[in-house]
Amino acid sequence: MRFLSLLLALTSLAEGVSLPQRRKVVQSFNVRRNQSSDSTPLQVGNGNFAFGADVTGLQTFKPYAIMSTWGWHNFSLPTTPGQTSVEDYTGMQMWTHGRLVTYEMPNPAENDISTWLIQNPNRLNLANVGFTFGQQNVTEDDLQQKSQELDLWSGRLSSSFVYNGSSVQVETWADPGSDTVAVNVQSKLLTQGLGLFFDFPYPDTEKFNAPFVGHFNLTSKHSTVLEQLSPNTARIKHSLDGATYFTHVAWTGRGRIDGPAAGTHRYSFAASQSNVQLVISFSLAAYDQPTTTYSRVVSASRNWWKSFWTTGAFIDLSAVQDPRAKDLQRRIILSQYLTAVNSASSYPPQESGLVNNGWYGKFHLEMALWHLLPFARWNRFPLLWRSLPSTYHQFLPTSLARARMQGYAGARWGKMSDPSGRSAPGDINALLIWQQPHPMYFAETEYRAFPGAATLARWDAVLTATADFMASYAFWNASTRVYDLGPPMYPVSENTDPNATVNPTFELAYWRFGLDVAVRWKTRQGKPVPRAWLAVRDGLAPLPMADGAYAVYEGIPGMWTSNATTNDHPAMAGIFGLLPPPASGPPLDMAAVKKTAALIKELWALDYSYGWDFGMLAMNSLRLGDPEQAVEYLLHPIFQFDDAGYPVGGSRVPTPYFPNSASLLIATAMMAGGWDGSEGKTGHWPKSWEKDVQVAGFEPAM
Ligand SMILES: *[C@@H]1O[C@H](CO)[C@@H](O)[C@H](O)[C@H]1NC(C)=O
Ligand SMILES: *[C@@H]1O[C@H](CO)[C@@H](O)[C@H](O)[C@H]1NC(C)=O
Ligand SMILES: *[C@@H]1O[C@H](CO)[C@@H](O)[C@H](O)[C@H]1NC(C)=O
Ligand SMILES: *[C@@H]1O[C@H](CO)[C@@H](O)[C@H](O)[C@H]1NC(C)=O
Ligand SMILES: *[C@@H]1O[C@H](CO)[C@@H](O)[C@H](O)[C@H]1NC(C)=O
Ligand SMILES: *[C@@H]1O[C@H](CO)[C@@H](O)[C@H](O)[C@H]1NC(C)=O
Ligand SMILES: *[C@@H]1O[C@H](CO)[C@@H](O)[C@H](O)[C@H]1NC(C)=O
Ligand SMILES: *[C@@H]1O[C@H](CO)[C@@H](O)[C@H](O)[C@H]1NC(C)=O
């Protein structure tokens, strides 16, 4: 049996893109730098932990971050009378279909605790590790022959430079299985004053910490303690407010750690031979022994990345003549590396992954679909399973409580989240609804790959609670005799008046999709389908139109005539692209779908869009039979990826903004694997590319 599946795996690999060919394509996009970037590091990492390096392979000149899934911090609670505990926050009430509903919005009468709940917990930059040059104040300009290569095939970052006539060679690796960075330094300067420093920052209350996280000059606000464990190991305990974690350092040969230097939390490490290997591990618990070694980290990283590139799906555009193919291939390869490092975590990732902090390091449940779906579509389910469905199961109690508090059945998923399952107060946070059907999208995607009782059981409780809420949230409008969504609500685009927003196109289509999946889920298990789900699904308001095209929401003024409405996320394109056509109810009006796509192309303020819009528009173009337009969207001038593949935030959000990378991977998976009903044709590329594209391992999208 095992032999057979091994044989099958090898056969499918051979039929698709061979291992040497995959390796050649991947390594042709190895990242090379000869100076530090001002905006992005080069990273080694494993999805739950990442180390961001400057041109020295460490954090010598640019304080890029070391971040994790578990490293969080709370500032102390406010001391304002009546606002000293989380329980003192009561939210805001709004009239909702004739009754007062409590929403998790900032309450001006509870300003201090509302603000505290927004800013806490915040994600920690665990430390900085860099080179010191004896007594000298050295800048990056003082180094010569700087050169750096990130090998995507093995996860190795090699850096070298010359200082005062002597070369320094550095290799930096992350352990796939622990929060550990391993560093090899080779230089005779190690015996002449070249050393390392370890420093520890204190966070601030800014929403965005980009490109760097934390401050190294707020020494009195936190404390560190060095403990020498053996001649070759030391542990630094870092305590800040209620948070404590440990940095474990182990080294080869003779060396010592001293410090901190007066008035700082900066420690120094010096070796007494020209080669040293360090293993630096971070954790909430204190260890007395190093948990791994440099050579074990190196071989684990080599194995992990080789397996990553050889077992997942693959697109090889290297034989395509069109020069656009090379740029698309570069984006595809680097996006896979970066999303594995930054997004394959045990919770959904934040938009900036483990590079820096956006929204205090929290993650957004409506963005989870973009971030996590690529792991499924590129046949890397184990990376998806790190966070799903466990995050939903873990957040079920707070989501059931949220719905109950608001007078709804089921579970209402929160928005801007942290591992506690709390949703941060916010006007948009409280009124956004498109995160609700995401569990159905994930569950159905998983079921298509793994049909069977185990998949059904894994998701059943989550889907049931989700569908119960969705049915209960829809409001029976006795005069129009349809179920309305909102008001108050924010649609995907977050730029409308929530008191006027009713029946947005994307959310209506997504509610139908979600309820269809929930009904199917019960039917597959031979369980009864709750009547309310069917009633709501079959009674949903029709998709709203304006000028023969789909509108953001029903009755929106000036839909295709005002620039106030033709900007931000054009989510209407998602009803025939990201979403399959409806499985129940009236079919889409295809003339309207086409006109919507044409009007978006003609009128939309795409310069003001965020990047995942382009992946979404590309999927819409694909289903409309226009792969040429899909490629144009994926290479749109506003949709930028820097030299190392980091998605550039643009005018609205800081860099990196990983939903861009994810949307590119979801769209290209659709180009490679087609979708249900794509007429037996599996590739959807510009005509001139078709004969030269090689793909392996894709399943059709829904
Ligand atoms: C540094 O890299 C840039 C971009 O790859 C290249 O144009 C430049 O020639 C390199 N400089 C050196 C000194 O190698
Ligand atoms: C921060 O405080 C909240 C509320 O008391 C708590 O649920 C959470 O666990 C704390 N997180 C950390 C990292 O201390
Ligand atoms: C929506 O209505 C509420 C009253 O229910 C009001 O407090 C709020 O300011 C309104 N919001 C907007 C954006 O007009
Ligand atoms: C290094 O720079 C700091 C701050 O600019 C200065 O105080 C110190 O004297 C300098 N040290 C040397 C050795 O130049
Ligand atoms: C450079 O190296 C020489 C020996 O090769 C040494 O005498 C000198 O102090 C070094 N200078 C600096 C700035 O480290
Ligand atoms: C402390 O460091 C921050 C950068 O982290 C800098 O903006 C600020 O000016 C520094 N403050 C002082 C007093 O040096
Ligand atoms: C029913 O729908 C109509 C048309 O959208 C709307 O004007 C009316 O306010 C809705 N009724 C209620 C009770 O929400
Ligand atoms: C709409 O156009 C007006 C006038 O040209 C301009 O001032 C405004 O910034 C535009 N608004 C948006 C959202 O693009």
Side-chain angles (χ1 to χ4, degrees), residues 517-549:
V517 171
V519 167
R520 216 177 295 148
W521 214 260
K522 289 296 176 198
T523 309
R524 283 173 183 148
Q525 295 174 93
K527 291 183 180 172
V529 177
R531 292 241 297 278
W533 301 2
L534 295 169
V536 169
R537 181 194 70 176
D538 295 335
L540 280 171
L543 303 184
M545 303 258 221
D547 299 323

mmCIF file of all heavy atoms in Angstrom, residues 517-549:
data_model
loop_
_atom_site.group_PDB
_atom_site.id
_atom_site.type_symbol
_atom_site.label_atom_id
_atom_site.label_comp_id
_atom_site.label_asym_id
_atom_site.label_seq_id
_atom_site.Cartn_x
_atom_site.Cartn_y
_atom_site.Cartn_z
ATOM 1 N N VAL A 517 -23.301 25.234 0.880
ATOM 2 C CA VAL A 517 -22.313 24.282 1.400
ATOM 3 C C VAL A 517 -22.822 23.668 2.706
ATOM 4 O O VAL A 517 -22.724 22.448 2.905
ATOM 5 C CB VAL A 517 -20.938 24.954 1.606
ATOM 6 C CG1 VAL A 517 -19.982 24.015 2.345
ATOM 7 C CG2 VAL A 517 -20.338 25.386 0.271
ATOM 8 N N ALA A 518 -23.384 24.489 3.571
ATOM 9 C CA ALA A 518 -23.860 23.973 4.867
ATOM 10 C C ALA A 518 -24.949 22.924 4.665
ATOM 11 O O ALA A 518 -24.958 21.880 5.339
ATOM 12 C CB ALA A 518 -24.383 25.124 5.722
ATOM 13 N N VAL A 519 -25.847 23.173 3.702
ATOM 14 C CA VAL A 519 -26.923 22.219 3.406
ATOM 15 C C VAL A 519 -26.321 20.916 2.877
ATOM 16 O O VAL A 519 -26.660 19.812 3.329
ATOM 17 C CB VAL A 519 -27.908 22.844 2.383
ATOM 18 C CG1 VAL A 519 -28.858 21.787 1.817
ATOM 19 C CG2 VAL A 519 -28.676 24.002 3.026
ATOM 20 N N ARG A 520 -25.395 21.054 1.938
ATOM 21 C CA ARG A 520 -24.730 19.883 1.363
ATOM 22 C C ARG A 520 -24.006 19.082 2.446
ATOM 23 O O ARG A 520 -23.993 17.857 2.456
ATOM 24 C CB ARG A 520 -23.715 20.379 0.322
ATOM 25 C CG ARG A 520 -23.555 19.517 -0.896
ATOM 26 C CD ARG A 520 -22.581 20.173 -1.884
ATOM 27 N NE ARG A 520 -23.080 21.422 -2.426
ATOM 28 C CZ ARG A 520 -22.294 22.458 -2.776
ATOM 29 N NH1 ARG A 520 -20.987 22.425 -2.606
ATOM 30 N NH2 ARG A 520 -22.824 23.547 -3.288
ATOM 31 N N TRP A 521 -23.392 19.787 3.381
ATOM 32 C CA TRP A 521 -22.638 19.137 4.459
ATOM 33 C C TRP A 521 -23.555 18.241 5.284
ATOM 34 O O TRP A 521 -23.198 17.108 5.620
ATOM 35 C CB TRP A 521 -22.005 20.217 5.336
ATOM 36 C CG TRP A 521 -20.681 19.827 5.899
ATOM 37 C CD1 TRP A 521 -20.442 19.358 7.165
ATOM 38 C CD2 TRP A 521 -19.421 19.879 5.227
ATOM 39 N NE1 TRP A 521 -19.102 19.112 7.314
ATOM 40 C CE2 TRP A 521 -18.444 19.423 6.143
ATOM 41 C CE3 TRP A 521 -19.002 20.258 3.957
ATOM 42 C CZ2 TRP A 521 -17.091 19.352 5.817
ATOM 43 C CZ3 TRP A 521 -17.665 20.187 3.634
ATOM 44 C CH2 TRP A 521 -16.726 19.738 4.559
ATOM 45 N N LYS A 522 -24.733 18.763 5.607
ATOM 46 C CA LYS A 522 -25.685 17.953 6.387
ATOM 47 C C LYS A 522 -26.170 16.777 5.563
ATOM 48 O O LYS A 522 -26.270 15.644 6.058
ATOM 49 C CB LYS A 522 -26.881 18.809 6.827
ATOM 50 C CG LYS A 522 -26.549 19.833 7.899
ATOM 51 C CD LYS A 522 -26.127 19.164 9.202
ATOM 52 C CE LYS A 522 -25.711 20.198 10.234
ATOM 53 N NZ LYS A 522 -24.906 19.634 11.329
ATOM 54 N N THR A 523 -26.458 17.037 4.276
ATOM 55 C CA THR A 523 -26.968 15.971 3.414
ATOM 56 C C THR A 523 -25.939 14.845 3.286
ATOM 57 O O THR A 523 -26.278 13.665 3.380
ATOM 58 C CB THR A 523 -27.299 16.550 2.011
ATOM 59 O OG1 THR A 523 -28.118 17.709 2.204
ATOM 60 C CG2 THR A 523 -28.026 15.555 1.142
ATOM 61 N N ARG A 524 -24.681 15.210 3.115
ATOM 62 C CA ARG A 524 -23.625 14.193 3.007
ATOM 63 C C ARG A 524 -23.543 13.318 4.253
ATOM 64 O O ARG A 524 -23.145 12.164 4.179
ATOM 65 C CB ARG A 524 -22.261 14.880 2.833
ATOM 66 C CG ARG A 524 -22.010 15.419 1.446
ATOM 67 C CD ARG A 524 -20.725 16.225 1.453
ATOM 68 N NE ARG A 524 -20.472 16.818 0.146
ATOM 69 C CZ ARG A 524 -19.851 17.974 -0.046
ATOM 70 N NH1 ARG A 524 -19.406 18.679 1.000
ATOM 71 N NH2 ARG A 524 -19.667 18.431 -1.238
ATOM 72 N N GLN A 525 -23.886 13.920 5.399
ATOM 73 C CA GLN A 525 -23.807 13.149 6.644
ATOM 74 C C GLN A 525 -25.120 12.435 6.960
ATOM 75 O O GLN A 525 -25.239 11.817 8.017
ATOM 76 C CB GLN A 525 -23.458 14.084 7.809
ATOM 77 C CG GLN A 525 -22.082 14.707 7.685
ATOM 78 C CD GLN A 525 -21.833 15.736 8.784
ATOM 79 O OE1 GLN A 525 -21.296 15.437 9.835
ATOM 80 N NE2 GLN A 525 -22.276 16.959 8.540
ATOM 81 N N GLY A 526 -26.091 12.584 6.070
ATOM 82 C CA GLY A 526 -27.390 11.990 6.342
ATOM 83 C C GLY A 526 -28.083 12.634 7.528
ATOM 84 O O GLY A 526 -28.889 12.004 8.215
ATOM 85 N N LYS A 527 -27.767 13.869 7.800
ATOM 86 C CA LYS A 527 -28.384 14.567 8.930
ATOM 87 C C LYS A 527 -29.448 15.518 8.409
ATOM 88 O O LYS A 527 -29.367 15.971 7.258
ATOM 89 C CB LYS A 527 -27.332 15.369 9.690
ATOM 90 C CG LYS A 527 -26.311 14.517 10.436
ATOM 91 C CD LYS A 527 -25.366 15.421 11.225
ATOM 92 C CE LYS A 527 -24.333 14.591 11.995
ATOM 93 N NZ LYS A 527 -23.306 15.436 12.610
ATOM 94 N N PRO A 528 -30.435 15.852 9.231
ATOM 95 C CA PRO A 528 -31.463 16.788 8.771
ATOM 96 C C PRO A 528 -30.892 18.194 8.548
ATOM 97 O O PRO A 528 -29.965 18.611 9.241
ATOM 98 C CB PRO A 528 -32.487 16.794 9.907
ATOM 99 C CG PRO A 528 -31.764 16.279 11.105
ATOM 100 C CD PRO A 528 -30.667 15.378 10.613
ATOM 101 N N VAL A 529 -31.424 18.881 7.560
ATOM 102 C CA VAL A 529 -31.006 20.249 7.269
ATOM 103 C C VAL A 529 -31.951 21.198 8.003
ATOM 104 O O VAL A 529 -33.161 21.121 7.817
ATOM 105 C CB VAL A 529 -31.090 20.529 5.754
ATOM 106 C CG1 VAL A 529 -30.727 21.983 5.464
ATOM 107 C CG2 VAL A 529 -30.191 19.578 4.983
ATOM 108 N N PRO A 530 -31.408 22.082 8.848
ATOM 109 C CA PRO A 530 -32.297 23.020 9.544
ATOM 110 C C PRO A 530 -33.142 23.812 8.545
ATOM 111 O O PRO A 530 -32.623 24.323 7.541
ATOM 112 C CB PRO A 530 -31.319 23.913 10.318
ATOM 113 C CG PRO A 530 -30.111 23.057 10.526
ATOM 114 C CD PRO A 530 -30.013 22.207 9.290
ATOM 115 N N ARG A 531 -34.440 23.905 8.841
ATOM 116 C CA ARG A 531 -35.350 24.568 7.894
ATOM 117 C C ARG A 531 -34.982 26.024 7.682
ATOM 118 O O ARG A 531 -35.137 26.557 6.582
ATOM 119 C CB ARG A 531 -36.788 24.457 8.415
ATOM 120 C CG ARG A 531 -37.331 23.028 8.389
ATOM 121 C CD ARG A 531 -38.570 22.904 7.488
ATOM 122 N NE ARG A 531 -39.685 23.704 7.973
ATOM 123 C CZ ARG A 531 -40.517 23.300 8.937
ATOM 124 N NH1 ARG A 531 -40.344 22.115 9.517
ATOM 125 N NH2 ARG A 531 -41.508 24.066 9.318
ATOM 126 N N ALA A 532 -34.486 26.665 8.724
ATOM 127 C CA ALA A 532 -34.170 28.099 8.614
ATOM 128 C C ALA A 532 -33.090 28.347 7.556
ATOM 129 O O ALA A 532 -33.106 29.363 6.861
ATOM 130 C CB ALA A 532 -33.710 28.637 9.964
ATOM 131 N N TRP A 533 -32.144 27.410 7.435
ATOM 132 C CA TRP A 533 -31.081 27.602 6.426
ATOM 133 C C TRP A 533 -31.683 27.640 5.027
ATOM 134 O O TRP A 533 -31.310 28.468 4.196
ATOM 135 C CB TRP A 533 -30.052 26.469 6.481
ATOM 136 C CG TRP A 533 -29.331 26.285 7.786
ATOM 137 C CD1 TRP A 533 -29.512 26.981 8.953
ATOM 138 C CD2 TRP A 533 -28.310 25.321 8.045
ATOM 139 N NE1 TRP A 533 -28.668 26.500 9.919
ATOM 140 C CE2 TRP A 533 -27.920 25.478 9.391
ATOM 141 C CE3 TRP A 533 -27.706 24.324 7.270
ATOM 142 C CZ2 TRP A 533 -26.942 24.676 9.986
ATOM 143 C CZ3 TRP A 533 -26.726 23.521 7.853
ATOM 144 C CH2 TRP A 533 -26.343 23.709 9.205
ATOM 145 N N LEU A 534 -32.594 26.696 4.778
ATOM 146 C CA LEU A 534 -33.211 26.618 3.448
ATOM 147 C C LEU A 534 -34.079 27.842 3.188
ATOM 148 O O LEU A 534 -34.062 28.405 2.090
ATOM 149 C CB LEU A 534 -34.052 25.342 3.343
ATOM 150 C CG LEU A 534 -33.248 24.037 3.411
ATOM 151 C CD1 LEU A 534 -34.178 22.837 3.578
ATOM 152 C CD2 LEU A 534 -32.384 23.878 2.163
ATOM 153 N N ALA A 535 -34.836 28.246 4.211
ATOM 154 C CA ALA A 535 -35.735 29.384 4.026
ATOM 155 C C ALA A 535 -34.940 30.641 3.682
ATOM 156 O O ALA A 535 -35.301 31.390 2.770
ATOM 157 C CB ALA A 535 -36.568 29.598 5.291
ATOM 158 N N VAL A 536 -33.849 30.854 4.385
ATOM 159 C CA VAL A 536 -33.048 32.056 4.129
ATOM 160 C C VAL A 536 -32.374 31.951 2.764
ATOM 161 O O VAL A 536 -32.418 32.876 1.951
ATOM 162 C CB VAL A 536 -32.021 32.284 5.260
ATOM 163 C CG1 VAL A 536 -31.017 33.364 4.879
ATOM 164 C CG2 VAL A 536 -32.743 32.658 6.555
ATOM 165 N N ARG A 537 -31.764 30.815 2.507
ATOM 166 C CA ARG A 537 -31.091 30.660 1.205
ATOM 167 C C ARG A 537 -32.069 30.914 0.057
ATOM 168 O O ARG A 537 -31.752 31.631 -0.897
ATOM 169 C CB ARG A 537 -30.530 29.238 1.093
ATOM 170 C CG ARG A 537 -29.799 29.002 -0.210
ATOM 171 C CD ARG A 537 -29.547 27.535 -0.476
ATOM 172 N NE ARG A 537 -30.797 26.822 -0.797
ATOM 173 C CZ ARG A 537 -30.841 25.551 -1.144
ATOM 174 N NH1 ARG A 537 -29.739 24.833 -1.195
ATOM 175 N NH2 ARG A 537 -31.991 24.959 -1.418
ATOM 176 N N ASP A 538 -33.259 30.348 0.173
ATOM 177 C CA ASP A 538 -34.198 30.456 -0.950
ATOM 178 C C ASP A 538 -34.934 31.784 -0.976
ATOM 179 O O ASP A 538 -35.558 32.118 -1.987
ATOM 180 C CB ASP A 538 -35.184 29.281 -0.904
ATOM 181 C CG ASP A 538 -34.454 27.954 -1.122
ATOM 182 O OD1 ASP A 538 -33.371 27.979 -1.754
ATOM 183 O OD2 ASP A 538 -34.943 26.915 -0.642
ATOM 184 N N GLY A 539 -34.830 32.532 0.121
ATOM 185 C CA GLY A 539 -35.540 33.804 0.156
ATOM 186 C C GLY A 539 -34.625 35.021 0.104
ATOM 187 O O GLY A 539 -35.091 36.153 0.303
ATOM 188 N N LEU A 540 -33.324 34.811 -0.143
ATOM 189 C CA LEU A 540 -32.390 35.951 -0.137
ATOM 190 C C LEU A 540 -32.798 37.003 -1.164
ATOM 191 O O LEU A 540 -33.272 36.670 -2.260
ATOM 192 C CB LEU A 540 -30.977 35.476 -0.477
ATOM 193 C CG LEU A 540 -30.161 34.837 0.656
ATOM 194 C CD1 LEU A 540 -28.875 34.226 0.088
ATOM 195 C CD2 LEU A 540 -29.821 35.857 1.742
ATOM 196 N N ALA A 541 -32.567 38.255 -0.828
ATOM 197 C CA ALA A 541 -32.829 39.353 -1.764
ATOM 198 C C ALA A 541 -32.053 39.113 -3.053
ATOM 199 O O ALA A 541 -30.964 38.532 -3.034
ATOM 200 C CB ALA A 541 -32.404 40.676 -1.135
ATOM 201 N N PRO A 542 -32.597 39.544 -4.192
ATOM 202 C CA PRO A 542 -31.856 39.388 -5.450
ATOM 203 C C PRO A 542 -30.606 40.253 -5.470
ATOM 204 O O PRO A 542 -30.528 41.265 -4.762
ATOM 205 C CB PRO A 542 -32.854 39.827 -6.518
ATOM 206 C CG PRO A 542 -33.870 40.651 -5.807
ATOM 207 C CD PRO A 542 -33.898 40.190 -4.376
ATOM 208 N N LEU A 543 -29.623 39.844 -6.283
ATOM 209 C CA LEU A 543 -28.389 40.637 -6.388
ATOM 210 C C LEU A 543 -28.741 41.989 -7.010
ATOM 211 O O LEU A 543 -29.408 42.040 -8.042
ATOM 212 C CB LEU A 543 -27.354 39.909 -7.255
ATOM 213 C CG LEU A 543 -26.965 38.495 -6.806
ATOM 214 C CD1 LEU A 543 -25.860 37.935 -7.713
ATOM 215 C CD2 LEU A 543 -26.509 38.484 -5.352
ATOM 216 N N PRO A 544 -28.289 43.084 -6.386
ATOM 217 C CA PRO A 544 -28.703 44.409 -6.866
ATOM 218 C C PRO A 544 -27.970 44.830 -8.135
ATOM 219 O O PRO A 544 -26.817 44.487 -8.341
ATOM 220 C CB PRO A 544 -28.319 45.321 -5.701
ATOM 221 C CG PRO A 544 -27.169 44.638 -5.055
ATOM 222 C CD PRO A 544 -27.417 43.170 -5.204
ATOM 223 N N MET A 545 -28.660 45.569 -8.954
ATOM 224 C CA MET A 545 -28.097 46.032 -10.231
ATOM 225 C C MET A 545 -28.192 47.547 -10.330
ATOM 226 O O MET A 545 -29.063 48.166 -9.717
ATOM 227 C CB MET A 545 -28.916 45.480 -11.389
ATOM 228 C CG MET A 545 -29.018 44.004 -11.407
ATOM 229 S SD MET A 545 -27.894 43.379 -12.639
ATOM 230 C CE MET A 545 -28.906 42.142 -13.325
ATOM 231 N N ALA A 546 -27.320 48.105 -11.154
ATOM 232 C CA ALA A 546 -27.414 49.514 -11.525
ATOM 233 C C ALA A 546 -26.853 49.625 -12.935
ATOM 234 O O ALA A 546 -25.773 49.080 -13.208
ATOM 235 C CB ALA A 546 -26.618 50.390 -10.562
ATOM 236 N N ASP A 547 -27.572 50.265 -13.816
ATOM 237 C CA ASP A 547 -27.141 50.443 -15.213
ATOM 238 C C ASP A 547 -26.767 49.122 -15.878
ATOM 239 O O ASP A 547 -25.790 49.047 -16.627
ATOM 240 C CB ASP A 547 -25.927 51.402 -15.292
ATOM 241 C CG ASP A 547 -26.281 52.791 -14.751
ATOM 242 O OD1 ASP A 547 -27.422 53.227 -14.981
ATOM 243 O OD2 ASP A 547 -25.415 53.402 -14.098
ATOM 244 N N GLY A 548 -27.511 48.073 -15.579
ATOM 245 C CA GLY A 548 -27.261 46.791 -16.227
ATOM 246 C C GLY A 548 -26.036 46.055 -15.727
ATOM 247 O O GLY A 548 -25.609 45.067 -16.316
ATOM 248 N N ALA A 549 -25.450 46.540 -14.620
ATOM 249 C CA ALA A 549 -24.299 45.851 -14.028
ATOM 250 C C ALA A 549 -24.592 45.633 -12.533
ATOM 251 O O ALA A 549 -25.519 46.232 -11.984
ATOM 252 C CB ALA A 549 -23.034 46.682 -14.207
#
